[in-house]
Amino acid sequence: MRNKIFLLLVLAITVGCTAAVSKQVPIKIENNKKGAPITLGIPFPKGELFSIDNVRLLNSKGKEIVCQTTEVTSWKPADDSIKWIWVFFFADENTNYTLEYGDGIYAMEPEDRIVSVNNMRPQGGITVNTGALQFNINKKGHGFLDEVYIDRNNDKKFSDNELIASAPEDSRGTFLDILDDSGIDLSKATVNEVFREVGSGPLHAIFRVEGTYKYNKEDNNDSPFSMRIHTYAGKKYIKVLHTLTYTGVPDKHKIQKGEHSNIATQKDFIVSEDTADDKGWTQPNDQISGCGLTFKYHLDKEVQFATSTNQDRDLNTDKEFDLYTAEVSNQKMGVLQTGPRQNKKSEKSTPTQREVGFNATIFKGKKEEAKAQRAKGWVDVSDASKGISVGIKNFLQEYPKELEIDPKTNTVNAYVWPSSIDAMSFERKNTKLDGGMLGNFAQGITKTTEFIYYFHTAEKIENIELTMDYVLDPPIAHANPEWYTASKVYGKMAPYSTKYPEFENALQYKYDWMAFNQEWESWYSIFDYGDIKTYYFKDEWHMWTNNEPTVDFSLWTNFMRTGNPKYYHMAQGMSKHTMDVDNIHWPRKRTYVGEINDAIDFWNYEGEPESTPYLGIGRRHGDEHWSALLSAHVWIQGWIASYYITGDQRALEVAKMTGDTYLNRIWGDHDLRGRRLYLSILNLVELYDATKLEKYKVELDDRVKILLELQKEQGGNLLLDRYGYSQTYVAQGLYKYYQLTGSKEVKKALVDHARWVKNIPPLNHKMESYLATIYPLVIGYDLSGNKSFLNEAKKRAEMLKVSKLPLNIDKNTTQKEYNEAMLKISRLPKDEGKIAIWDLNQGLRVFGWTHANNIPYLLYWLDNPEDVTSN
């Protein structure tokens, strides 16, 4: 009997010890800051994780810390397992963490929780309690924070004497003021709805505020705005992402009836591009006079002001900033950041001299208290026991910006566009054709600005700066590069290594060259930052890239492969720029959600004007951001990657807007042929993968069917010869479709296409098309095991190899020196006496087709030649 009991005990202990089967993912935080809120996207291989309940987080000592997890998307329909999750936590003093997952693994429950009430009745609003902070936003309020309380005595209650901020008067908590010939039209903000976003939980909750700016003058269009307010359990700070939409008439040219031929949805009314003699193109009409967020502060009479600046505009975040403090009297105080293009100056960088014209001015009334080149981007106003700090991310890069304290109104004003400077205008610089068009498509662009607000008790300046840096100079968390690539969420891709230096040089040198030029040329300002230019001719850059082709995705890929935060910032900047500025967002009919009980609400919705048919289409690369459009000229792959990696909900929102436009098929069969068809499949498969919405799957299936039918008429070639550079669109799109569906027909189509490009190399765009075939060749090898595909891919890739750069890049390096060094190590062929636009010193546009979407996948097969799917 005793032996039997003993055996049962041993069995019970054994089962107990083996029930929790754990696996681990190493995580590292670059630029770590203790206490910082971290949102991290983690992918999982197919079949590896089936529930976010089976995930927890350990710190560097192996001790569990509280975290919040969200399922983002799955491997469906191929598999029920999870594909991407978000992990949220607060960083400690160490940089290394471990994500542990597996059957029997369960996360600890948080002690602090966010409590909120979202009452969207006509007289309602939201109230959010983080435990240390409480605020409310009213539907009938002023558009931003109506009341803010902090728990000063730590009793977990909020009394009237703990009110620290409240709304200003006249519905002006947020504003977008318009200037035209009749003067300034001051906006009034109304809140329409507030939604909880995906990713919300007990530790971190996100509230999306949808509202409208309304105007007094009938000739000014109402303008929608949105704010995503991030709240954190137990914390006194919030992060706010504010998105404005410009709905004005940008210039005074005579409006023609019809559409441009490049984007026409009909044939009877085509506008003429021959209107260069119309001076109205270069004359501003509706301008942004001022835009921002504001509220009243409730502090004692003796108030201190603080901010910081730096004499060097270098973005090196290790540099010390000079602190400025002063007592607040009866005059406005603040800091204003301006830059060269906003100042309408003509100076620009040369190959040997960087651009000048950056100014950060600390002011008191009309007096300049201090001047520097760069402001850190925060101010604080405090009395002896409490205070308010506010900061704006990318204060220099997205100039002009201003943070202001007005003691006469007791307001804290944070300006997206300062009302103290000349208005932002959207007229064309000239009447030259841009992308074959003479147009102005500024109406409908957006801009998202990121703020941090910290409502605190008495704090030392170093603690205030630390909190501000949670947003202004944020930590970047990532898994090991090997984890991202081994997940195969983006196919079979190799992590960065030193094993094949000549191929890695071809990638890293080019990305570093573009990062150098972004600072050297100062590709900054509110509507420019994030983008880079395309062509480098005669020591000068030309044409904004506007994301062609999936430049942001290339940068996200390089971040995943390397873990280098520099590429994270570049990728995030490009994704945010292109989803905001390089896209049409208005006129847009609101989405009906049934928030009002009265049935008449739906019929009122039905009667609203319809959206523009161009909603969700993108800009063509051009000399200006909003001068040229092209049918279906938009890339959402990088936006979806941004959504997965960073938790940026707006990225998916804008991607869905593009996907819905595909469903409308506004261009008829033009939309279903050529490059538009190839790119739409890549975009739709990414969007379906992220949303699992059947409407996108139905549209995707139909477009894949059309593509495969056309392939049969083209002898096995998936592409028309005209679009040979589009190889990666169809290969990546169809490969992901195959991953999700296992379609044998698609598998055969990819192998047939690989055979075609092996035997008949496309040369219609020369190296752009020829080198773009490397990826479809390695896909053909993967799916067939035919080594001739891999051998041909390796052969074609030889010219991509790059030897070591004969120059050490430092703060004294000039653009001229860098450019000459890059050309010395390039092995790419010349272009018959012309400047080769695929060469190493050019931008990332052609590089996307020749290098970025090829080398990471080729390197995988150099290391794993036997790992073919056909086996």
mmCIF file of all heavy atoms in Angstrom, residues 518-540:
data_model
loop_
_atom_site.group_PDB
_atom_site.id
_atom_site.type_symbol
_atom_site.label_atom_id
_atom_site.label_comp_id
_atom_site.label_asym_id
_atom_site.label_seq_id
_atom_site.Cartn_x
_atom_site.Cartn_y
_atom_site.Cartn_z
ATOM 1 N N GLN A 518 19.294 62.083 -44.929
ATOM 2 C CA GLN A 518 18.110 62.618 -44.261
ATOM 3 C C GLN A 518 18.505 63.746 -43.312
ATOM 4 O O GLN A 518 17.781 64.738 -43.196
ATOM 5 C CB GLN A 518 17.378 61.510 -43.510
ATOM 6 C CG GLN A 518 16.006 61.923 -43.006
ATOM 7 C CD GLN A 518 15.207 60.764 -42.471
ATOM 8 O OE1 GLN A 518 15.742 59.896 -41.771
ATOM 9 N NE2 GLN A 518 13.929 60.720 -42.786
ATOM 10 N N GLU A 519 19.646 63.601 -42.657
ATOM 11 C CA GLU A 519 20.126 64.667 -41.782
ATOM 12 C C GLU A 519 20.898 65.737 -42.555
ATOM 13 O O GLU A 519 20.748 66.923 -42.301
ATOM 14 C CB GLU A 519 21.001 64.086 -40.668
ATOM 15 C CG GLU A 519 20.220 63.300 -39.638
ATOM 16 C CD GLU A 519 20.975 63.140 -38.332
ATOM 17 O OE1 GLU A 519 21.816 64.006 -38.017
ATOM 18 O OE2 GLU A 519 20.723 62.152 -37.632
ATOM 19 N N TRP A 520 21.739 65.315 -43.505
ATOM 20 C CA TRP A 520 22.553 66.280 -44.248
ATOM 21 C C TRP A 520 21.667 67.237 -45.043
ATOM 22 O O TRP A 520 21.865 68.453 -45.023
ATOM 23 C CB TRP A 520 23.507 65.546 -45.190
ATOM 24 C CG TRP A 520 24.408 66.455 -45.969
ATOM 25 C CD1 TRP A 520 24.141 67.051 -47.169
ATOM 26 C CD2 TRP A 520 25.709 66.901 -45.586
ATOM 27 N NE1 TRP A 520 25.190 67.836 -47.573
ATOM 28 C CE2 TRP A 520 26.179 67.761 -46.608
ATOM 29 C CE3 TRP A 520 26.528 66.659 -44.497
ATOM 30 C CZ2 TRP A 520 27.425 68.368 -46.563
ATOM 31 C CZ3 TRP A 520 27.772 67.260 -44.455
ATOM 32 C CH2 TRP A 520 28.215 68.109 -45.474
ATOM 33 N N GLU A 521 20.710 66.689 -45.742
ATOM 34 C CA GLU A 521 19.802 67.510 -46.535
ATOM 35 C C GLU A 521 18.702 68.121 -45.672
ATOM 36 O O GLU A 521 17.939 68.956 -46.142
ATOM 37 C CB GLU A 521 19.149 66.649 -47.626
ATOM 38 C CG GLU A 521 20.100 66.135 -48.683
ATOM 39 C CD GLU A 521 20.507 67.217 -49.670
ATOM 40 O OE1 GLU A 521 19.692 68.125 -49.938
ATOM 41 O OE2 GLU A 521 21.642 67.159 -50.176
ATOM 42 N N SER A 522 18.606 67.655 -44.434
ATOM 43 C CA SER A 522 17.514 67.992 -43.509
ATOM 44 C C SER A 522 16.162 67.840 -44.197
ATOM 45 O O SER A 522 15.422 68.782 -44.394
ATOM 46 C CB SER A 522 17.686 69.396 -42.918
ATOM 47 O OG SER A 522 17.724 70.413 -43.885
ATOM 48 N N TRP A 523 15.871 66.571 -44.548
ATOM 49 C CA TRP A 523 14.546 66.255 -45.101
ATOM 50 C C TRP A 523 13.552 66.227 -43.938
ATOM 51 O O TRP A 523 13.031 65.184 -43.551
ATOM 52 C CB TRP A 523 14.598 64.915 -45.838
ATOM 53 C CG TRP A 523 15.366 64.989 -47.127
ATOM 54 C CD1 TRP A 523 15.453 66.051 -47.970
ATOM 55 C CD2 TRP A 523 16.150 63.951 -47.724
ATOM 56 N NE1 TRP A 523 16.249 65.748 -49.052
ATOM 57 C CE2 TRP A 523 16.690 64.464 -48.934
ATOM 58 C CE3 TRP A 523 16.448 62.636 -47.365
ATOM 59 C CZ2 TRP A 523 17.502 63.704 -49.773
ATOM 60 C CZ3 TRP A 523 17.266 61.883 -48.201
ATOM 61 C CH2 TRP A 523 17.775 62.417 -49.395
ATOM 62 N N TYR A 524 13.351 67.423 -43.396
ATOM 63 C CA TYR A 524 12.484 67.603 -42.249
ATOM 64 C C TYR A 524 11.324 68.527 -42.635
ATOM 65 O O TYR A 524 11.187 68.916 -43.782
ATOM 66 C CB TYR A 524 13.263 68.229 -41.073
ATOM 67 C CG TYR A 524 14.416 67.393 -40.565
ATOM 68 C CD1 TYR A 524 15.537 67.996 -39.994
ATOM 69 C CD2 TYR A 524 14.398 66.001 -40.649
ATOM 70 C CE1 TYR A 524 16.596 67.240 -39.517
ATOM 71 C CE2 TYR A 524 15.456 65.237 -40.175
ATOM 72 C CZ TYR A 524 16.551 65.868 -39.614
ATOM 73 O OH TYR A 524 17.602 65.118 -39.138
ATOM 74 N N SER A 525 10.544 68.902 -41.663
ATOM 75 C CA SER A 525 9.373 69.794 -41.691
ATOM 76 C C SER A 525 8.105 68.960 -41.592
ATOM 77 O O SER A 525 8.109 67.753 -41.850
ATOM 78 C CB SER A 525 9.330 70.718 -42.907
ATOM 79 O OG SER A 525 8.902 70.048 -44.060
ATOM 80 N N ILE A 526 7.027 69.606 -41.206
ATOM 81 C CA ILE A 526 5.803 68.929 -40.792
ATOM 82 C C ILE A 526 5.260 67.958 -41.837
ATOM 83 O O ILE A 526 4.827 66.860 -41.499
ATOM 84 C CB ILE A 526 4.725 69.964 -40.386
ATOM 85 C CG1 ILE A 526 3.435 69.269 -39.924
ATOM 86 C CG2 ILE A 526 4.458 70.968 -41.485
ATOM 87 C CD1 ILE A 526 2.427 70.217 -39.313
ATOM 88 N N PHE A 527 5.299 68.313 -43.115
ATOM 89 C CA PHE A 527 4.729 67.434 -44.132
ATOM 90 C C PHE A 527 5.792 66.712 -44.967
ATOM 91 O O PHE A 527 5.445 66.010 -45.917
ATOM 92 C CB PHE A 527 3.785 68.218 -45.052
ATOM 93 C CG PHE A 527 2.539 68.678 -44.361
ATOM 94 C CD1 PHE A 527 2.330 70.011 -44.087
ATOM 95 C CD2 PHE A 527 1.571 67.761 -43.976
ATOM 96 C CE1 PHE A 527 1.177 70.439 -43.439
ATOM 97 C CE2 PHE A 527 0.415 68.174 -43.319
ATOM 98 C CZ PHE A 527 0.217 69.514 -43.054
ATOM 99 N N ASP A 528 7.079 66.893 -44.631
ATOM 100 C CA ASP A 528 8.160 66.220 -45.358
ATOM 101 C C ASP A 528 8.788 65.080 -44.560
ATOM 102 O O ASP A 528 9.236 64.092 -45.139
ATOM 103 C CB ASP A 528 9.273 67.206 -45.725
ATOM 104 C CG ASP A 528 8.866 68.183 -46.814
ATOM 105 O OD1 ASP A 528 7.839 67.952 -47.471
ATOM 106 O OD2 ASP A 528 9.579 69.197 -46.993
ATOM 107 N N TYR A 529 8.846 65.239 -43.236
ATOM 108 C CA TYR A 529 9.649 64.307 -42.450
ATOM 109 C C TYR A 529 9.168 62.863 -42.602
ATOM 110 O O TYR A 529 7.976 62.576 -42.592
ATOM 111 C CB TYR A 529 9.628 64.681 -40.967
ATOM 112 C CG TYR A 529 10.412 63.697 -40.128
ATOM 113 C CD1 TYR A 529 11.788 63.574 -40.285
ATOM 114 C CD2 TYR A 529 9.772 62.854 -39.230
ATOM 115 C CE1 TYR A 529 12.508 62.658 -39.545
ATOM 116 C CE2 TYR A 529 10.484 61.935 -38.474
ATOM 117 C CZ TYR A 529 11.853 61.845 -38.641
ATOM 118 O OH TYR A 529 12.565 60.913 -37.925
ATOM 119 N N GLY A 530 10.137 61.982 -42.692
ATOM 120 C CA GLY A 530 9.875 60.562 -42.900
ATOM 121 C C GLY A 530 10.200 60.153 -44.318
ATOM 122 O O GLY A 530 10.698 59.050 -44.557
ATOM 123 N N ASP A 531 9.933 61.044 -45.267
ATOM 124 C CA ASP A 531 10.213 60.739 -46.666
ATOM 125 C C ASP A 531 11.678 61.034 -46.982
ATOM 126 O O ASP A 531 12.370 61.746 -46.252
ATOM 127 C CB ASP A 531 9.308 61.559 -47.581
ATOM 128 C CG ASP A 531 9.090 60.893 -48.926
ATOM 129 O OD1 ASP A 531 9.747 59.869 -49.212
ATOM 130 O OD2 ASP A 531 8.261 61.382 -49.710
ATOM 131 N N ILE A 532 12.141 60.454 -48.078
ATOM 132 C CA ILE A 532 13.486 60.695 -48.584
ATOM 133 C C ILE A 532 13.374 60.928 -50.083
ATOM 134 O O ILE A 532 12.336 60.645 -50.689
ATOM 135 C CB ILE A 532 14.407 59.490 -48.311
ATOM 136 C CG1 ILE A 532 13.784 58.207 -48.864
ATOM 137 C CG2 ILE A 532 14.710 59.361 -46.835
ATOM 138 C CD1 ILE A 532 14.604 56.968 -48.630
ATOM 139 N N LYS A 533 14.437 61.438 -50.672
ATOM 140 C CA LYS A 533 14.373 61.704 -52.111
ATOM 141 C C LYS A 533 14.943 60.540 -52.910
ATOM 142 O O LYS A 533 15.582 59.640 -52.376
ATOM 143 C CB LYS A 533 15.041 63.023 -52.429
ATOM 144 C CG LYS A 533 14.233 64.204 -51.870
ATOM 145 C CD LYS A 533 14.476 65.500 -52.595
ATOM 146 C CE LYS A 533 13.489 66.558 -52.124
ATOM 147 N NZ LYS A 533 13.706 67.851 -52.814
ATOM 148 N N THR A 534 14.724 60.588 -54.220
ATOM 149 C CA THR A 534 14.854 59.409 -55.068
ATOM 150 C C THR A 534 16.115 59.389 -55.919
ATOM 151 O O THR A 534 16.818 58.383 -55.982
ATOM 152 C CB THR A 534 13.624 59.309 -55.988
ATOM 153 O OG1 THR A 534 12.459 59.185 -55.184
ATOM 154 C CG2 THR A 534 13.718 58.109 -56.918
ATOM 155 N N TYR A 535 16.390 60.486 -56.608
ATOM 156 C CA TYR A 535 17.479 60.500 -57.587
ATOM 157 C C TYR A 535 18.549 61.523 -57.197
ATOM 158 O O TYR A 535 18.233 62.650 -56.802
ATOM 159 C CB TYR A 535 16.947 60.850 -58.966
ATOM 160 C CG TYR A 535 15.896 59.891 -59.477
ATOM 161 C CD1 TYR A 535 14.631 60.342 -59.851
ATOM 162 C CD2 TYR A 535 16.169 58.526 -59.575
ATOM 163 C CE1 TYR A 535 13.664 59.465 -60.313
ATOM 164 C CE2 TYR A 535 15.214 57.638 -60.026
ATOM 165 C CZ TYR A 535 13.968 58.110 -60.397
ATOM 166 O OH TYR A 535 13.012 57.233 -60.852
ATOM 167 N N TYR A 536 19.823 61.115 -57.349
ATOM 168 C CA TYR A 536 20.948 61.991 -57.035
ATOM 169 C C TYR A 536 21.708 62.266 -58.318
ATOM 170 O O TYR A 536 22.500 61.438 -58.790
ATOM 171 C CB TYR A 536 21.849 61.328 -55.986
ATOM 172 C CG TYR A 536 22.879 62.255 -55.388
ATOM 173 C CD1 TYR A 536 22.498 63.373 -54.661
ATOM 174 C CD2 TYR A 536 24.238 61.993 -55.528
ATOM 175 C CE1 TYR A 536 23.436 64.214 -54.089
ATOM 176 C CE2 TYR A 536 25.192 62.822 -54.961
ATOM 177 C CZ TYR A 536 24.787 63.929 -54.248
ATOM 178 O OH TYR A 536 25.720 64.762 -53.684
ATOM 179 N N PHE A 537 21.444 63.434 -58.921
ATOM 180 C CA PHE A 537 22.076 63.834 -60.168
ATOM 181 C C PHE A 537 22.869 65.121 -59.954
ATOM 182 O O PHE A 537 22.362 66.069 -59.339
ATOM 183 C CB PHE A 537 21.041 64.102 -61.265
ATOM 184 C CG PHE A 537 20.205 62.903 -61.626
ATOM 185 C CD1 PHE A 537 18.891 63.064 -62.044
ATOM 186 C CD2 PHE A 537 20.705 61.616 -61.536
ATOM 187 C CE1 PHE A 537 18.112 61.978 -62.385
ATOM 188 C CE2 PHE A 537 19.934 60.525 -61.867
ATOM 189 C CZ PHE A 537 18.632 60.704 -62.291
ATOM 190 N N LYS A 538 24.089 65.149 -60.456
ATOM 191 C CA LYS A 538 24.907 66.357 -60.430
ATOM 192 C C LYS A 538 24.938 66.974 -59.026
ATOM 193 O O LYS A 538 24.694 68.173 -58.841
ATOM 194 C CB LYS A 538 24.394 67.376 -61.452
ATOM 195 C CG LYS A 538 24.477 66.866 -62.885
ATOM 196 C CD LYS A 538 23.961 67.887 -63.881
ATOM 197 C CE LYS A 538 24.067 67.359 -65.302
ATOM 198 N NZ LYS A 538 23.548 68.351 -66.287
ATOM 199 N N ASP A 539 25.209 66.145 -58.046
ATOM 200 C CA ASP A 539 25.373 66.574 -56.659
ATOM 201 C C ASP A 539 24.109 67.189 -56.066
ATOM 202 O O ASP A 539 24.170 68.022 -55.160
ATOM 203 C CB ASP A 539 26.528 67.586 -56.527
ATOM 204 C CG ASP A 539 27.870 66.979 -56.901
ATOM 205 O OD1 ASP A 539 28.050 65.772 -56.671
ATOM 206 O OD2 ASP A 539 28.727 67.713 -57.431
ATOM 207 N N GLU A 540 22.953 66.738 -56.537
ATOM 208 C CA GLU A 540 21.705 67.291 -56.009
ATOM 209 C C GLU A 540 20.619 66.225 -56.040
ATOM 210 O O GLU A 540 20.532 65.439 -56.990
ATOM 211 C CB GLU A 540 21.271 68.510 -56.827
ATOM 212 C CG GLU A 540 20.127 69.268 -56.207
ATOM 213 C CD GLU A 540 19.859 70.586 -56.921
ATOM 214 O OE1 GLU A 540 20.692 71.008 -57.755
ATOM 215 O OE2 GLU A 540 18.822 71.194 -56.642
#
